[in-house]
Amino acid sequence: MSRAEYTVKNSQQLLLMRKAGLITRAALDAVRKAVKPGVSTLELDKIADDTMNALGAHSNFQLVDGYFHTICASINDEVVHGIPSKDRVLRAGDLLSIDCGAEIDGWNGDSAFSMVVPGESSDAAAIVVARQQLSDVTEQSLWVGIAALAKASHLNEVGAAIEAFVAEKASEHGRDYGILEDYIGHGIGRTMHEEPAVFNYAVRHKGPKVGPGLVVAIEPMITGGDDSVKVLADGWTVSSEDGSDAAHWEHTVAVHEGGIWVLTAEDGGLAGLAPFGIVPVPVQG
Ligand code: MG
Ligand code: MG
């Protein structure tokens, strides 16, 4: 398959993907509610797994060769792919990123969020404030990307919009933000990862034409410093090279005849897209 192609999903298939998207959302919401100091990332993993299973789905992360957990839980300078562990215990003020995906009826969802662990932190107040700001910028950049997709003629307009927004925020906040280059978003459907690539930054080629039936996971991964990363000795965890904190936000988004629909947002993207004057349109069953 060339980079200009992707598997088109019809309305019936988008409705199945919505189901996978909402179960992914439910698992992430359950995790978010359980986040507090003293909780281990392995406990969060069980909450996500139990939530998916209770809704008739299973974790698609467990289908990835060599990965045995339901979520990835990445803390502070870890950007993505952190492995849940009973020894990773949350502290107040930590910047936590949770990524997970559900598969049901052969269709997939994929979504992630970041948050600062509530409570009185032993880290300096300025560090905790900067972590929240980094998460906010990353979340906003995701919505900038989704809004760009709604209006795009070609897919790579998404990454150009994300990069421009992040650069603007860096100058506004007087700090560095690094967009990861080697880790990007992707098409999604019968498998969690499929064509096309979804960049979080401007690239020279335009990418595939955006049209009905395109479903992508848009997922900016941003550090509060340089964009260089390394993979830790566990073979999975991606961490910033310079030790700067990192955030990760992700949604699975469908383009269809009627408009755009954020499959992993409870409201389909209504609130997130409102500032852009875009109203998401659900596919009718
Ligand atoms: Mg993900
Ligand atoms: Mg993804």
Side-chain angles (χ1 to χ4, degrees):
M1 199 181 283
S2 86
R3 70 171 183 237
E5 290 173 328
Y6 51 85
T7 313
V8 169
K9 281 87 181 174
N10 64 31
S11 297
Q12 212 48 49
Q13 293 170 328
L14 292 182
L15 289 168
L16 291 168
M17 290 196 73
R18 172 61 164 167
K19 209 168 148 190
L22 285 179
I23 295 173
T24 303
R25 175 85 273 126
L28 287 173
D29 286 351
V31 168
R32 188 199 304 261
K33 283 197 194 105
V35 168
K36 59 179 183 190
V39 170
S40 77
T41 55
L42 192 62
E43 290 174 82
L44 298 180
D45 188 70
K46 180 167 169 26
I47 288 166
D49 203 48
D50 289 349
T51 304
M52 280 185 202
N53 294 340
L55 294 168
H58 60 262
S59 161
N60 54 25
F61 283 24
Q62 290 183 21
L63 302 176
V64 175
D65 209 16
Y67 200 78
F68 305 104
H69 293 90
T70 295
I71 61 171
C72 288
S74 309
I75 299 173
N76 297 336
D77 59 327
E78 298 168 355
V79 193
V80 287
H81 302 170
I83 304 173
S85 162
K86 65 177 173 33
D87 300 325
R88 289 311 300 273
V89 176
L90 300 179
R91 299 160 52 249
D94 279 343
L95 177 50
L96 172 70
S97 298
I98 301 287
D99 189 357
C100 85
E103 188 193 70
I104 185 164
D105 300 330
W107 294 93
N108 289 273
D110 191 7
S111 183
F113 72 93
S114 295
M115 69 181 289
V116 172
V117 178
E120 199 169 326
S121 176
S122 54
D123 293 331
I127 291 175
V128 178
V129 168
R131 286 175 179 157
Q132 184 62 55
Q133 188 182 52
L134 172 62
S135 176
D136 290 345
V137 166
T138 307
E139 180 182 15
Q140 288 163 11
S141 79
L142 168 60
W143 287 106
V144 164
I146 296 170
L149 178 66
K151 296 179 175 171
S153 62
H154 290 83
L155 183 60
N156 292 348
E157 291 166 45
V158 170
I162 290 172
E163 181 178 336
F165 174 81
V166 171
E168 179 193 312
K169 287 294 162 188
S171 90
E172 189 184 310
H173 297 162
R175 57 182 294 202
D176 291 332
Y177 293 123
I179 301 175
L180 266 62
E181 286 202 9
D182 293 342
Y183 298 84
I184 56 175
H186 48 91
I188 177 168
R190 286 205 174 274
T191 54
M192 181 173 51
H193 294 128
E194 54 184 54
E195 294 291 315
V198 183
F199 299 95
N200 295 312
Y201 45 88
V203 293
R204 276 176 57 194
H205 50 97
K206 292 169 142 182
K209 236 176 132 33
V210 172
L214 172 65
V215 186
V216 289
I218 302 177
E219 51 176 318
M221 289 154 259
I222 299 178
T223 73
D226 191 73
D227 61 16
S228 303
V229 290
K230 60 188 176 193
V231 176
L232 301 188
D234 61 24
W236 286 99
T237 311
V238 177
S239 171
S240 70
E241 193 96 58
D242 64 2
S244 58
D245 293 315
H248 177 211
W249 282 81
E250 176 177 25
H251 272 306
T252 299
V253 188
V255 178
H256 61 96
E257 292 289 353
I260 197 164
W261 196 21
V262 183
L263 301 178
T264 45
E266 185 81 41
D267 66 359
L270 193 65
L273 289 169
F276 304 93
I278 295 166
V279 180
V281 182
V283 166
Q284 299 302 324

